[in-house]
Amino acid sequence: MAVTSARQRDQRSIAADTYQNITLFTHACEIASEYADHRGTDAIDSHFGAMLFEHIFDNVKQRLEFGCRGSQHHTDTPNLQIFIHSIPSLSFLLSILTKIKFVFAIIAPLTSTTEMALRTHYCTDINENNVGERVELAGWVNSYRDHGGIIFIDLRDKTGLIQLVCDPADNEKAHKVASQIRDEYVLIAKGTVRRRGEGLENPRLKTGKIEVVVDELVIENRSEPMPFTLGDPNVGEDIRLKYRYLDLRQKEMFETFQLRSKAAIAARNLLDKHGFLEVETPILTKSTPEGARDYLVPSREHVGEFYALPQSPQLFKQLLMVGGFDRYFQIAKCFRDEDLRADRQPEFTQIDVEMSFCTQEDVMKVAEELLHAIFAACGHEIEIPFNRITYRESMEKYGNDRPDLRFGLELVDVIDLFEDCESPIFAEIAKYPKINRIKALKVPGGDNAFSRKIIKELEGFVTRFGAKGLAYIQVKEDGLKGPILKFLSDEAIETMKSRLDLQIGDIVFFGAGDRKVVWDYMGRLRSEVARRLDMIDENRFEFVWVVDFPMFELEEGALHLKALHHPFTMPKNIDEEDAEAIESDAYDIVLNGIELGGGSIRIHKLDIQKRVFSLLGISDEEAEEKFGFLLDALKFGAPPHGGFALGFDRLMMLLTKKESIRDVIAFPKTQSATCLLTHAPSPVDEAQLKELGIRIRKQPKSDAAE
RNA sequence: GCGGUGGUAGUUCAGUUGGUUAGAAUGCCGCCCUGUCACGGCGGAGGUCGCGAGUUCGAGUCUCGUCCACCGCGCCA
């Protein structure tokens, strides 16, 4: 292998830097020019800089405080050059430009500016401008076509494909090596870039106009035949997970994780800019048995005692606020030993943020800016601030606290219309409008769309969630039809008609009973109907803040209260007699019906915290034992503080429109929480257990079957 | 813990009412082929039908159990 000289290295690195700078500059100009077009100006003239500046200034006033020294530029900057030079760095310019529909991801080149000994270019870096150049490439055999004489190889690296040509007439030795290759062999190829001949171009390849005539070919490593075909969309997920490292070779996979990286870096940059300090909190920590199950880690030094993996860095970030750090963030791994779902993994990542001396508004603003920056980094311009809805309104209109606002179909209260109705069941329900609900879901055009069979299916659907049945009214040309009509007075029917604005062809579903049950199944029905009628625009991002959460919830079948958010959330009205009427400074961010994250203002006063613990039925002794360190901390001048956390995996799942969170996690677990790649969890040596003072009481299922 | 769907060649799938030697495509191996890019042609290998019982003269097919994967319920302060 030829050793690259220091001079060559320098040249390459300069070339790469220049390339990057030129790319940035070019894109800045493009944006500028687009803006100029938009304003009706033909060319980028001397006014352009000022215009762009103003445009940016309008959009990102708050950012300019950080970077641009002084604001004197905004009226008299003569041109783009000066404007750009007035910015401290290109990356800062870039971050500003993201505000004007700018896609960070596109311009950050895949090419690294650092030296690589084994290649001069990535595959798709090569184009017609390189014709005649000698290049060195490294990668995998994506496919090969051996014609007996000439051999074509599609070489692949993370950037894409390029065609190598091995012609015995050009180089017999390279051709001989090429005749041995198979799919997924690792090659290092040297050769000359050549324009493809007339009619030989491949428009489907980015590098389809050129090819590399190989004169030196090294098989760096061989590969067994692949256990599955890369790029085949039908391959089972289990085999992909078993060979995840092969699965990751697929273009779509690389792009997903590239985007994930961009998003994480954008989050870091935004929070850094706002003065947040990134701090790592412990992974080995104390078990807090409330909430989800903990993953436990036995201690060797303290036989019989256990660490727990954190379900979230909640208490530590509060302690950082007591520690005076003022603003903290972390891209934190969290662990919950609960059953999995398509959007739930036992270990997951959240962007965790906490700040001191802040109001709920301050926290929400940071969260919005953060999401805006992340979406911008991924090529999406989202509107901030987000809409808000109270918890109560969300429950009443959408049946849950994470409404999907990509479609309408609001639930409408009709309990009053059943007060004097002739059905004893409905009348009884209507007697207690505080705890019961009768909700109507009008589906415009639903009568035409839903056959008797589909309605039966929908009834089966809601029955699974506690509905006794599914009453409905069809709006026909000759009037309303449906079994419940006979119970209602003409007046009630007329009121319903106008309240629901019924039109011919509509169908109205009714849910009646305990409010929690009705909310639940009617909310689910709402989504199910929207899905069936294809009412959901998959390309929309509908954010909403759900605010004013109740502090407590009466546990089903139990006497004591349960914290709806968590017990460290600041209650708004702790002295309220009816504990269920106590609200909290808690807020959730919901995107397209999925809870992306949430946060709250925390309790920073000892007496309030103690009061909340006691309402939750946690004794002083228990509180001391579990949260003593927090209670202690609150005694020493804890500042008012609050924060939020965003589920990063879910966020990436929504951003990449994947159906499963596993698609955005490099090495995910299966639904039974195992890793098909490493076979974790697995039994351990008796000696290891002995050292930990642990004896397994029950034989594993596979052995116990005997 | 519960409900649903699936498990047949390396992969993706078909397989009739229970009835000869379980098929296809692709991949793999061998030979041929100098402009392909889903290269092409000829030939070949490859299966404990997830596993275990049962019913039957006979089971990929029917029954029961079990394991694995996925979707959902419970659970996830």
Side-chain angles (χ1 to χ4, degrees), chain A residues 5 27 135 137 191 295 323 400 416 461 582:
Chain A
S5 75
H27 276 270
V135 296
L137 297 170
Y295 275 102
N400 57 44
D416 54 314
F461 177 80
I582 300 177

Side-chain angles (χ1 to χ4, degrees), chain A residues 56-266:
Chain A
I56 292 169
F57 192 77
D58 286 339
N59 280 282
V60 287
K61 276 176 189 150
Q62 70 276 24
R63 291 197 186 194
L64 291 170
E65 292 166 20
F66 290 89
C68 271
R69 301 159 192 131
S71 58
Q72 71 273 23
H73 305 290
H74 83 278
T75 49
D76 55 12
T77 305
N79 60 40
L80 181 63
Q81 289 278 358
I82 290 176
F83 165 65
I84 286 180
H85 285 118
S86 73
I87 304 271
S89 71
L90 279 168
S91 63
F92 178 70
L93 170 66
L94 200 59
S95 70
I96 290 178
L97 291 177
T98 56
K99 279 280 180 188
I100 27 181
K101 289 167 75 178
F102 194 72
V103 183
F104 192 108
I106 294 171
I107 57 94
L110 290 166
T111 310
S112 145
T113 57
T114 46
E115 169 64 16
M116 293 169 291
L118 298 183
R119 53 156 74 95
T120 57
H121 296 75
Y122 283 103
C123 292
T124 63
D125 290 345
I126 300 171
N127 56 44
E128 293 134 288
N129 298 329
N130 301 98
V131 168
E133 268 179 50
R134 192 177 147 77
V135 296
E136 302 172 19
L137 297 170
W140 287 262
V141 176
N142 194 66
S143 65
Y144 64 97
R145 296 171 290 281
D146 185 343
H147 288 250
I150 197 164
I151 297 171
F152 299 100
I153 302 166
D154 288 344
L155 189 73
R156 184 192 70 236
D157 62 26
K158 65 176 180 179
T159 67
L161 302 178
I162 190 167
Q163 176 165 281
L164 309 179
V165 187
C166 298
D167 193 326
D170 293 330
N171 190 307
E172 210 169 310
K173 210 173 145 193
H175 177 265
K176 203 175 167 196
V177 176
S179 68
Q180 299 169 40
I181 66 155
R182 294 291 181 269
D183 285 351
E184 300 304 318
Y185 276 27
V186 177
L187 302 183
I188 294 169
K190 300 176 185 178
T192 309
V193 181
R194 176 168 80 186
R195 192 179 295 278
R196 292 200 190 184
E198 191 74 24
L200 298 178
E201 293 181 357
N202 182 354
R204 293 171 56 191
L205 277 188
K206 192 181 169 195
T207 56
K209 289 187 173 166
I210 46 108
E211 61 194 7
V212 174
V213 183
V214 175
D215 54 51
E216 199 182 325
L217 188 64
V218 176
I219 295 177
E220 180 58 36
N221 212 348
R222 291 167 193 267
S223 171
E224 287 190 11
M226 293 284 282
F228 62 91
T229 311
L230 293 185
D232 180 349
N234 296 320
V235 172
E237 195 184 1
D238 42 357
I239 191 138
R240 288 174 49 206
L241 290 179
K242 180 174 178 187
Y243 299 97
R244 188 59 150 184
Y245 44 87
L246 300 180
D247 192 31
L248 294 173
R249 285 184 192 170
Q250 311 203 62
K251 185 167 182 267
E252 194 180 342
M253 279 290 169
F254 180 73
E255 285 170 355
T256 297
F257 288 98
Q258 190 181 26
L259 205 66
R260 188 174 166 131
S261 168
K262 294 281 176 227
I265 289 168

